[in-house]
Amino acid sequence: MRTIAIIGASLAGLRSAQALRRQGFDGRLVIVGDEVHLPYDRPPLSKDFLLGKVEAVPLADQDDLDALNAEWRLGNCATALLSHGEVALSDGTTVEADGIVIATGGIPRTIPNAHVLRTLDDAVKLREAFATAQHVGVIGAGFIGAEIASSARSLGKDVTVIEALPTPLTRVLGVEMGAACGQLHGDHGSTLITAVNVDSVNVDSGINLADGRHVNADVVVAGIGVRPATDWLAGGPVKVDNGVVCDAGGVTNLKNIVAVGDVANCAGHRAEHWTSATEQAQVATRNLLAGETVATHTNGGYVWSDQYGVRIQFIGRATNDVRIEDGSIEDRRFVATYRDSSNEEDIVGIVAMSNARLFTRLRRNLK
Ligand SMILES: NC(=O)c1ccc[n+]([C@@H]2O[C@H](COP(=O)([O-])OP(=O)(O)OC[C@H]3O[C@@H](n4cnc5c(N)ncnc54)[C@H](O)[C@@H]3O)[C@@H](O)[C@H]2O)c1
């Protein structure tokens, strides 16, 4: 391959570029990103960035970037995949490549008049809005909503979190452990309202709930999930269905195109995690250079989240059979395992609150 184009210049895109060079690819590398910024780390945005403790945290220093010897096309959006080797960009140019890495990530779902927090620019706007706000409304009690609520409390704001489901974090942790995490809000003076829909957000007064209640808020932020950024692929040669459809090694229906990160639907599963993006980049680029699937993803889907001074860690998959192995939910310090429904001896998932040591030890037993 003489030219490889990476579409998406965040974690998955950057790690793909680094992996390609590490594996000896010495051809032309073009990296396209719709944001104007060089790759930065997103996890601090909802935490230390909002608190004013850090500015943008680069994912690579200048020496690392120079070593990539890449052509950066930043502030430029891929608008179409014209063929299996040609991408149209928003500045009217096209990039021709022998291989393509799709790393376009996810786009936050929005609610009119509510902030979102995905990009550095989003975080700058939210931080500015927090500077004068007293009452903060957070819609969605997933990881992003919970972390924003926690930061807002640290800044002394009055915080109300609205969650559509009866229990937060059900999708990732299941009902029991999601409820355990949800209790952190009340512990730290935030109000959590569950099982209610949002009717509308009013810029001046806050959130109107579908059941007629009103939540007073000067600033409202929605953390209600993301959708894969695949609009630009519509009608093109790559198959799309809840993300870019690829095999367990990130290879799409075209052998010269791979997908990595939040946008990749690998063997029926779309992982929206920092650690998955990093691992997928290594594997998918190997397959791209090999011209076939020679390796598959093994990452167990490790997730961490820092909320209200508590570190939540999760890996694997949640089942209904969840057992506390150490500590207690009441102490907000525990490790629990999820067991397989067909063989309860098998640990298929682990969740911990403030117990990294035992979490790390049990992780080795994960099936
Ligand atoms: N620490 C971490 O791992 C971390 C931190 C932040 C974000 N992220 C990732 O960023 C992405 C976005 O995070 P997220 O928290 O927005 O997504 P999410 O899908 O994890 O959580 C969204 C939450 O919003 C709720 N919801 C959806 N629509 C709603 C509505 N109209 N009203 C009220 N509640 C509603 C859902 O039930 C869910 O609980 C995810 O991929 C997430 O994994 C990860």
Side-chain angles (χ1 to χ4, degrees):
M1 281 194 188
R2 282 179 303 184
T3 301
I4 295 179
I6 299 176
I7 312 301
S10 190
L11 178 68
L14 175 70
R15 295 291 183 250
S16 297
Q18 292 170 322
L20 284 166
R21 289 298 190 220
R22 242 192 336 267
Q23 290 167 73
F25 174 69
D26 61 0
R28 181 175 169 235
L29 196 53
V30 183
I31 304 176
V32 177
D34 59 349
E35 293 180 64
V36 294
H37 311 288
L38 282 163
Y40 59 85
D41 208 16
R42 293 198 203 280
L45 296 181
S46 50
K47 298 173 281 257
D48 282 354
F49 185 90
L50 281 186
L51 297 178
K53 290 183 181 170
V54 296
E55 293 305 312
V57 179
L59 277 171
D61 64 24
Q62 197 55 50
D63 286 349
D64 290 341
L65 294 176
D66 291 346
L68 282 181
N69 189 21
E71 284 172 42
W72 294 87
R73 309 285 296 270
L74 298 177
N76 221 325
C77 207
T79 53
L81 183 62
L82 300 173
S83 70
H84 68 284
E86 193 177 11
V87 181
L89 305 185
S90 53
D91 68 358
T93 62
T94 58
V95 176
E96 284 189 38
D98 310 301
I100 295 173
V101 179
I102 298 173
T104 41
I107 299 171
R109 295 175 55 216
T110 55
I111 293 178
N113 297 328
H115 286 257
V116 291
L117 177 46
R118 176 85 179 171
T119 66
L120 178 58
D121 294 352
D122 295 335
V124 167
K125 282 188 212 141
L126 188 59
R127 191 164 74 175
E128 278 169 13
F130 271 6
T132 50
Q134 188 47 44
H135 302 279
V136 171
V138 178
I139 305 174
F143 284 131
I144 199 92
E147 291 179 1
I148 294 169
S150 161
S151 297
R153 277 304 293 154
S154 292
L155 292 167
K157 314 294 177 196
D158 171 45
V159 177
T160 307
V161 183
I162 315 291
E163 167 58 48
L165 296 178
T167 316
L169 287 164
T170 321
R171 182 174 66 87
V172 185
L173 303 180
V175 173
E176 199 177 334
M177 292 298 133
C181 293
Q183 289 175 4
L184 293 173
H185 294 292
D187 291 352
H188 296 271
S190 297
T191 303
L192 173 65
I193 303 175
T194 58
V196 67
N197 288 314
V198 168
D199 179 58
S200 60
V201 173
N202 188 304
V203 201
D204 301 317
S205 64
I207 307 168
N208 299 314
L209 300 179
D211 62 7
R213 282 181 286 175
H214 179 79
V215 173
N216 188 21
D218 319 310
V219 172
V220 177
V221 49
I224 56 171
V226 298
R227 63 179 179 85
T230 54
D231 295 352
W232 65 286
L233 295 167
V238 160
K239 205 172 160 204
V240 171
D241 182 9
N242 181 29
V244 176
V245 176
C246 41
D247 67 14
V251 179
T252 68
N253 55 309
L254 300 171
K255 287 197 180 345
N256 72 319
I257 302 183
V258 297
V260 292
D262 292 7
V263 78
N265 184 349
C266 297
H269 180 65
R270 207 165 56 73
E272 297 176 1
H273 309 312
W274 195 96
T275 50
S276 314
T278 300
E279 194 255 354
Q280 286 179 7
Q282 319 302 321
V283 172
T285 52
R286 205 177 138 199
N287 294 331
L288 179 65
L289 293 176
E292 60 179 333
T293 305
V294 293
T296 55
H297 303 314
T298 53
N299 184 284
Y302 171 66
V303 191
W304 82 94
S305 176
D306 296 319
Q307 305 170 18
Y308 301 104
V310 170
R311 170 152 289 196
I312 298 162
Q313 292 172 289
F314 171 77
I315 191 165
R317 66 184 164 90
T319 63
N320 291 330
D321 183 355
V322 53
R323 304 174 188 188
I324 302 284
E325 304 289 346
D326 186 64
S328 72
I329 292 174
E330 291 67 39
D331 291 341
R332 312 292 188 244
R333 184 183 158 82
F334 64 87
V335 177
T337 55
Y338 297 92
R339 304 302 177 114
D340 193 8
S341 54
S342 54
N343 180 3
E344 61 176 46
E345 295 304 309
D346 284 353
I347 297 173
V348 294
I350 308 167
V351 60
M353 224 184 238
S354 293
N355 195 340
R357 191 176 295 178
L358 185 57
F359 178 87
T360 307
R361 210 163 65 215
L362 284 177
R363 218 176 140 156
R364 296 187 205 117
N365 303 333
L366 201 66
K367 291 283 176 198

